[in-house]
Amino acid sequence: MSDWVIIVGMAVVTYATRALPLLSRWKVSHPLAKRALCYAPPAVLAALVTPSLLAPGGAVEIGPKLWAGMLGAAVAWRTANLPLTVTIGLGLFGIMHWLGLG
Amino acid sequence: MHSVEMILFEQLAKDRHRQLEREAEADRLARAARAGARRHDGKVGADTSRGGKHYPREDAFREFWRGFVVTLPLWIGILPFGVAYAMAARGAGLSAAETIGMSLLVYAGTSQLVATELLASEAGALSIVLATLLINARLLPLAASLAGSLGRLPASTRGLLAFTLSDPSYAVSVERVARCVAGWAFLAGSGVSLYTGWQLGTLAGLAIGSAIADVTALGLELVFPLSFLSLLAPYVRSRSGALAALVAGGLALVARLVVPGTAYLVIGIVGGSLAGALVERRR
């Protein structure tokens, strides 16, 4: 049930970002804040990725997840293709796991 | 413009723009000819130049359909994204109903993937909603830039239009909205098209996910960071975007090691976005 509370909360804030500028005169006015908002998506993504590849258990861990992530980063850089990045990264992880490296 | 989907679909959108420009021109000529004919008939035609409620209804329907069809090629990008989300959501322990419900109600891909990742790591409701707000705050300037052209519409129409506003629908429609009186219907058609594609992708992901017996056994927790890397790629091509990502990633990693809970996210996000904004100002 609490998952639904989260989903509805997400829906409300997301709709607000879409609708507020269309329905009201409210605006993010401070220029620095306005620009900072533009950088929120890369910041969020990087803040999620780095610990989950480098320190998945809460301590720094150099392992197959990091190698899979680095290969994934290279594919992402070249193609920005989501399914391809996921497939190749998972593939390397699977191979390393299968070889007993993970 | 800093948005993943937009960059992914940039080329497609450019082609569309060119095609639409030609169509809009033909449209304008046809309308002018019709208006001329009406005037000669001595009847009062719909005055499209004033906008508001005075646009001809058939124009709106046609624009809606046109927006819907023009956006169909973008389904190629949105379907696999929906599949990835649904599989990740199931892997994170969301029920099928919750997985679909989030797509129907939230309808914002990146934030949905991030939310499922946070749910899997047992983050609190507040931090998930906050992360969603931060990610989707990028829609604020999109909506704000449309506000001028859509201001004449009734508030209820604007409220409905906002629901399906996304980066790609904005990219495909923005010029049309600015140029044509019934452009808002084009935006609506484009938005509904992508919304439909996203729901179908989600359903497909659920079907595929349940075909694989144990989703968690495949190292699928890596789907999250790998997806995020591909979503991140377009941002780091600019120097300020790359710096925002570097600072956010570095701060988050250090904070993850020394601060309990998911505070590392807030620390990384705030530090990274400020760094990006400050560097952009310098230039």
Side-chain angles (χ1 to χ4, degrees):
Chain A
M1 205 57 217
S2 79
D3 283 351
W4 280 108
V5 174
I6 294 171
I7 290 169
V8 171
M10 290 172 65
V12 170
V13 296
T14 304
Y15 182 69
T17 62
R18 293 180 161 128
L20 273 184
L22 288 178
L23 294 177
S24 74
R25 297 185 199 293
W26 179 82
K27 275 181 189 131
V28 177
S29 54
H30 193 280
L32 185 65
K34 217 189 269 179
R35 270 200 306 276
L37 277 181
C38 296
Y39 292 98
V44 170
L45 293 168
L48 280 162
V49 165
T50 322
S52 63
L53 291 179
L54 272 161
V60 174
E61 212 176 283
I62 310 292
K65 276 193 181 164
L66 179 60
W67 307 130
M70 284 173 69
L71 181 64
V75 176
W77 172 258
R78 288 300 296 264
T79 66
N81 182 324
L82 191 147
L84 191 70
T85 306
V86 171
T87 310
I88 291 181
L90 277 184
L92 178 65
F93 183 80
I95 289 169
M96 294 182 83
H97 196 76
W98 184 63
L99 293 174
L101 296 172
Chain B
M1 285 291 313
H2 299 269
S3 66
V4 179
E5 292 91 340
M6 236 201 83
I7 294 159
L8 282 174
F9 303 137
E10 198 175 33
Q11 194 47 51
L12 271 172
K14 262 187 214 149
D15 294 346
R16 290 294 144 191
H17 275 318
R18 250 175 258 131
Q19 185 191 334
L20 289 175
E21 248 167 54
R22 288 193 297 270
E23 282 180 13
E25 181 61 23
D27 212 41
R28 214 169 42 77
L29 290 173
R31 206 177 288 162
R34 274 208 306 275
R38 273 193 213 105
R39 236 168 270 135
H40 288 303
D41 288 343
K43 289 178 197 157
V44 181
D47 182 1
T48 48
S49 66
R50 246 189 302 133
K53 286 172 190 163
H54 303 289
Y55 54 81
R57 184 170 286 259
E58 65 273 22
D59 269 11
F61 280 125
R62 208 186 47 199
E63 285 293 302
F64 180 91
W65 182 238
R66 192 176 278 175
F68 191 95
V69 172
V70 156
T71 313
L72 281 178
L74 305 195
W75 283 32
I76 297 163
I78 209 131
L79 282 172
F81 195 9
V83 169
Y85 152 72
M87 292 181 69
R90 291 295 275 153
L94 283 174
S95 71
E98 289 167 341
T99 304
I100 297 169
M102 196 191 283
S103 279
L104 285 172
L105 295 174
V106 181
Y107 178 55
T110 306
S111 66
Q112 286 182 230
L113 263 172
V114 168
T116 46
E117 155 88 334
L118 290 173
L119 274 170
S121 58
E122 317 254 294
L126 203 64
S127 52
I128 296 177
V129 173
L130 191 70
T132 305
L133 178 63
L134 284 170
I135 294 167
N136 293 332
R138 71 175 196 287
L139 294 167
L140 281 170
L142 300 195
S145 86
L146 292 174
S149 315
L150 301 176
R152 296 191 222 97
L153 295 170
S156 55
T157 313
R158 275 178 280 149
L160 280 173
L161 267 178
F163 190 71
T164 60
L165 178 67
S166 63
D167 319 78
S169 81
Y170 173 89
V172 171
S173 314
V174 59
E175 211 180 324
R176 192 78 171 173
V177 170
R179 198 190 286 257
C180 304
V181 182
W184 65 272
F186 188 94
L187 175 70
S190 171
V192 168
S193 177
L194 285 162
Y195 186 84
T196 312
W198 181 242
Q199 308 310 328
L200 291 178
T202 304
L203 288 176
L206 280 177
I208 296 168
S210 59
I212 302 168
D214 187 2
V215 179
T216 49
L218 298 167
L220 283 189
E221 70 271 18
L222 266 180
V223 169
F224 295 115
L226 290 169
S227 314
F228 297 159
L229 280 171
S230 81
L231 296 173
L232 188 56
Y235 292 107
V236 298
R237 294 190 198 280
S238 78
R239 200 149 35 115
S240 43
L243 187 87
L246 265 178
V247 171
L251 278 177
L253 180 64
V254 173
R256 174 79 176 87
L257 301 174
V258 296
V259 185
T262 49
Y264 71 93
L265 278 176
V266 180
I267 295 170
I269 292 164
V270 173
S273 7
L274 278 177
L278 285 170
V279 166
E280 191 189 295
R281 171 133 83 179
R282 267 306 137 67
R283 269 186 301 152

